[in-house]
Amino acid sequence: MRWALVDRTANRVGTTPGVDAVATKSILVGLPSDSHTEFLQMLQEACADGLPRRLTITHSTNPMLVVDILPLKLEQVTDRPALVILYDASEFDKSRDRISKLARRNEAILRCSMDGFFVVDADCRFLEVNEAFCRMTGYSVDELMRMRITDLEVN
């Protein structure tokens, strides 16, 4: 896997000491030459509108490659930088399987936990709760999913 933080022209933005990042030019080298134009166009669009893009490339001489373009959410910035990640599909499949196994394990742990557990978003809305938390608050999962943590009263 290779990644870079870039602007819409594929120039690297900033540096972080000790972090293994590469310039986007190195990512372009990893792509078949007939995909460069499509990649750069998608990068420009993502930086302009702030929506993520995925480019999947199948090439006869290379394994299938996946490029994720993830624009950063910055207020009042119309030309935002983006995180570009390049990986081959086999690496993606292995990671997805590993993450899926971890997610199933974590769900089982939280489902059986006697401790209340919840996850909230930046607006303090519940994203996830377990049954123990429901019992502690007296609300059902459905009710909590429509609430913010600030809606709960401390007794």
Side-chain angles (χ1 to χ4, degrees):
M1 176 174 60
R2 292 184 253 172
W3 67 273
L5 185 60
V6 300
D7 65 13
R8 70 180 309 138
T9 61
N11 288 318
R12 187 169 174 189
V13 176
T15 58
T16 304
V19 175
D20 183 23
V22 296
T24 306
K25 306 301 182 201
S26 175
I27 287 179
L28 285 171
V29 169
L31 298 176
S33 58
D34 59 346
S35 301
H36 290 193
T37 303
E38 184 178 7
F39 164 72
L40 291 170
Q41 180 181 351
M42 290 177 84
L43 175 62
Q44 289 175 358
E45 291 169 357
C47 288
D49 65 21
L51 300 174
R53 304 286 196 286
R54 173 169 283 169
L55 175 61
T56 303
I57 303 163
T58 53
H59 198 269
S60 59
T61 59
N62 291 332
M64 187 171 77
L65 299 172
V66 178
V67 182
D68 280 333
I69 303 169
L70 309 168
L72 302 181
K73 303 284 185 195
L74 301 173
E75 296 295 323
Q76 307 298 323
V77 175
T78 56
D79 193 16
R80 55 187 62 83
L83 177 64
V84 176
I85 306 169
L86 169 70
Y87 45 92
D88 70 52
S90 64
E91 185 178 330
F92 177 71
D93 289 340
K94 289 177 193 171
S95 295
R96 186 179 58 213
D97 290 345
R98 188 178 78 245
I99 290 168
S100 178
K101 286 178 185 176
L102 285 172
R104 285 193 307 271
R105 183 198 71 170
N106 291 345
E107 287 173 12
I109 291 170
L110 292 175
R111 201 172 34 251
C112 298
S113 175
M114 292 174 51
D115 294 325
F117 175 84
F118 62 90
V119 177
V120 295
D121 65 12
D123 295 325
C124 298
R125 293 192 181 282
F126 288 106
L127 298 175
E128 187 176 349
V129 296
N130 69 355
E131 287 298 321
F133 188 72
C134 291
R135 285 191 301 275
M136 290 169 60
T137 62
Y139 292 100
S140 70
V141 172
D142 290 337
E143 290 171 319
L144 286 168
M145 291 297 119
R146 293 188 301 266
M147 297 171 66
R148 295 174 188 242
I149 195 165
T150 54
D151 293 334
L152 298 177
E153 291 184 26
V154 179
N155 292 326

